[in-house]
Amino acid sequence: MTAAAMAVSYKGEGVQLFLSTANVPVINMALALAKLDYGSLRVIHLISSEREDLMTEETRSPFSVLSLAKERESLREKIEPLEEQLKYAPNEEKEKIKKAITKMCGQIFNETYDIYFGTVDMMLGRLYKNNQGGKHQIDSIKKQLKTSVRRIVVDEASQLTEAALNALILCFPKAQIVLIGDSKQLPPFRFTPEDVVSSLAARPALDVAKDKMNLPVIKLTHVYRASKALIAHYSEVFYRGSLLSFKAETYKNPLSCFGARSKGSRCLFWKVAKGVAKKHGTSKFNRGEIQTLRYIVNILRNSGYDSKSVMIISYYEAQRKKAEDELKKAKLSDYELLTVDSAQGREKKVVIVLTTRTSVPVDAGAFFNCALRCNVAVSRHQEALIVIGHPSIAAAPNWARVLSSKYFRPVEDGKK
């Protein structure tokens, strides 16, 4: 809600851009904004058609070009029959129908707006792509981006590169830029501290900003995602206990469906001693964990916590793919399976983390031992968290403190 609330105070001060390094945080901001009444505030969300195709009615942006077009009865009457055709059209016809829908939405680009939502890449691309309607016919959106932007707010700024920040500064020289992010979460995936190219262009923008002594910094410590008990493990381990939850404890515990094994706890360390972590190229997978995942998902589903409430995060891409295949076989293909890196900025009521490993890496700086990655993995839940892993990971750096019995109840796989 923070970004949405900021939008109100900025009304009438020029065009405002609300950006993110990923699509999902921007969509969350758009949905939050839609819940509040802003009178005559005009908003548009520039989003790729590919991303819009993946949205459900629940997660669809209310300010996308398509959504705005369908608010007008004359356009809706033309677009909806095309959307119906698209559902049943052969693959060779789909692209043609999509282009027809895009053409119907064309007039939306010729209007002016107070707020633009989009990713950094989408907004910069929109600024420099070919003009709508021909070389000399600059549409209103592009004209506003060129002349009227006065404030840019970038969410998930820990993944914004120094190069992208410089691009924003150069493209919008009159704009005030606000970076909202967490330096204790993952930096841009391209960034490698020892690499010269990374050091020159791909440093995290937050690190660059923190080096500037004359920039104002506001520290945010209020958490609204989860209750005090559910943030305790990552607040104590990664933030020295500085996070303050403003969310009340929910009455129902999603993990009560596991009976005596949960004993009322909302954070479980589900120990899977069986199974072996095997290499798959540079990645890893563990069949034993995947079988346990399938069991847990079925129990949760039977208790009313389906794919809309549950997110699965895997440390390794090979494990993510094999888990996805296994759930498809079990007719559970609608679940969201993400790597830790792609889960940053996401949240769900119940989160299940697949750690995959069956031994602790010796290197303190190893992928699995990374404090930033661990922090992201164990902080995406709203009501409950299950970490699935070999008992040995409880001795790994960072994990040893996070999985303490002070925060997590251990569950032995296969035991009632």
Side-chain angles (χ1 to χ4, degrees):
M1 286 293 186
T2 303
M6 288 166 61
V8 179
S9 64
Y10 295 161
K11 173 82 169 132
E13 297 180 18
V15 174
Q16 316 302 322
L17 303 187
F18 284 83
L19 310 180
S20 176
T21 52
N23 269 300
V24 174
V26 177
I27 293 169
N28 290 339
M29 284 192 285
L31 291 170
L33 188 63
K35 292 179 181 178
L36 305 175
D37 181 13
Y38 288 92
S40 61
L41 194 66
R42 291 177 56 76
V43 184
I44 189 170
H45 183 174
L46 299 179
I47 184 170
S48 67
S49 57
E50 291 81 4
R51 181 69 206 182
E52 188 147 38
D53 286 346
L54 295 174
M55 290 181 186
T56 63
E57 286 304 314
E58 185 183 37
T59 61
R60 188 173 303 282
S61 172
F63 307 118
S64 71
V65 174
L66 181 60
S67 297
L68 293 174
K70 289 173 70 176
E71 283 182 3
R72 303 178 186 185
E73 188 175 353
S74 59
L75 288 177
R76 186 174 68 252
E77 289 175 352
K78 296 175 183 178
I79 291 172
E80 288 184 344
L82 289 172
E83 288 181 318
E84 197 63 28
Q85 285 181 36
L86 189 61
K87 290 179 184 178
Y88 307 103
N91 290 334
E92 60 272 16
E93 292 291 322
K94 286 185 176 180
E95 197 58 39
K96 184 179 178 182
I97 297 171
K98 285 181 180 180
K99 285 182 178 179
I101 293 173
T102 301
K103 189 174 180 181
M104 294 286 181
C105 299
Q107 61 185 272
I108 303 299
F109 291 103
N110 286 314
E111 298 185 7
T112 59
Y113 299 91
D114 300 309
I115 293 177
Y116 288 81
F117 281 116
T119 63
V120 173
D121 291 345
M122 176 67 73
M123 207 61 67
L124 291 174
R126 186 68 186 79
L127 184 62
Y128 286 102
K129 74 182 291 187
N130 293 334
N131 297 328
Q132 295 282 332
K135 184 178 179 180
H136 302 293
Q137 298 176 30
I138 301 178
D139 60 89
S140 293
I141 286 181
K142 190 166 183 177
K143 192 179 294 181
Q144 277 194 291
L145 292 178
K146 281 180 172 289
T147 62
S148 306
V149 175
R150 292 294 178 267
R151 188 165 286 107
I152 301 172
V153 180
V154 184
D155 194 20
E156 290 298 325
S158 66
Q159 295 198 333
L160 182 72
T161 64
E162 180 181 9
L165 175 60
N166 288 337
L168 290 174
I169 293 169
L170 291 170
C171 291
F172 306 102
K174 296 181 180 179
Q176 177 194 58
I177 298 178
V178 180
L179 303 181
I180 302 175
D182 185 349
S183 59
K184 295 188 182 297
Q185 294 195 9
L186 289 167
F189 70 92
R190 307 174 190 82
F191 180 65
T192 306
E194 299 79 16
D195 180 59
V196 175
V197 175
S198 288
S199 297
L200 289 173
R203 282 193 301 165
L206 284 182
D207 289 350
V208 176
K210 284 195 300 182
D211 289 343
K212 307 294 182 183
M213 302 299 291
N214 60 338
L215 293 180
V217 176
I218 300 173
K219 291 186 178 180
L220 304 176
T221 57
H222 293 187
V223 177
Y224 297 90
R225 175 177 297 157
S227 65
K228 182 179 178 180
L230 284 166
I231 70 169
H233 58 282
Y234 62 87
S235 176
E236 294 292 337
V237 174
F238 302 111
Y239 300 92
R240 298 183 181 180
S242 64
L243 299 184
L244 302 173
S245 174
F246 280 73
K247 182 174 181 178
E249 191 73 70
T250 53
Y251 175 73
K252 185 179 180 182
N253 180 356
L255 305 188
S256 61
C257 57
F258 296 106
R261 283 173 295 188
S262 72
K263 286 192 176 178
S265 176
R266 292 171 183 260
C267 292
L268 303 181
F269 174 29
W270 205 290
K271 298 180 181 181
V272 181
K274 64 181 180 181
V276 178
K278 297 181 179 180
K279 284 190 175 182
H280 187 274
T282 57
S283 193
K284 296 178 183 294
F285 69 95
N286 182 329
R287 295 283 187 192
E289 269 194 20
I290 293 173
Q291 291 303 313
T292 298
L293 169 69
R294 180 172 166 176
Y295 168 77
I296 291 172
V297 166
N298 269 317
I299 296 290
L300 286 169
R301 197 179 186 95
N302 291 337
S303 300
Y305 290 88
D306 59 11
S307 59
K308 291 182 179 179
S309 306
V310 178
M311 178 166 64
I312 302 161
I313 300 175
S314 173
Y315 249 70
Y316 294 90
E317 174 62 13
Q319 180 79 330
R320 188 198 69 77
K321 286 184 176 178
K322 290 189 181 295
E324 190 173 59
D325 291 342
E326 182 66 26
L327 291 184
K328 280 182 181 177
K329 290 178 187 175
K331 296 182 180 179
L332 300 169
S333 59
D334 51 347
Y335 282 84
E336 200 172 24
L337 285 96
L338 306 169
T339 60
V340 180
D341 297 61
S342 60
Q344 184 158 304
R346 308 298 296 274
E347 58 185 72
K348 279 284 178 73
K349 286 183 179 179
V350 181
V351 172
I352 304 170
V353 179
L354 298 170
T355 57
T356 310
R357 298 193 67 94
T358 48
S359 62
V360 177
V362 177
D363 180 9
F367 174 88
F368 185 77
N369 293 339
C370 172
L372 304 180
R373 184 165 282 104
C374 182
N375 183 23
V376 173
V378 299
S379 61
R380 305 297 95 202
H381 57 288
Q382 297 170 335
E383 297 180 14
L385 172 65
I386 301 175
V387 174
I388 303 175
H390 192 271
S392 67
I393 71 163
N398 301 302
W399 287 101
R401 295 175 63 201
V402 167
L403 294 173
S404 164
S405 58
K406 181 180 177 182
Y407 312 116
F408 279 75
R409 171 168 172 74
V411 174
E412 301 291 336
D413 193 45
K415 294 183 180 180
K416 295 184 179 180

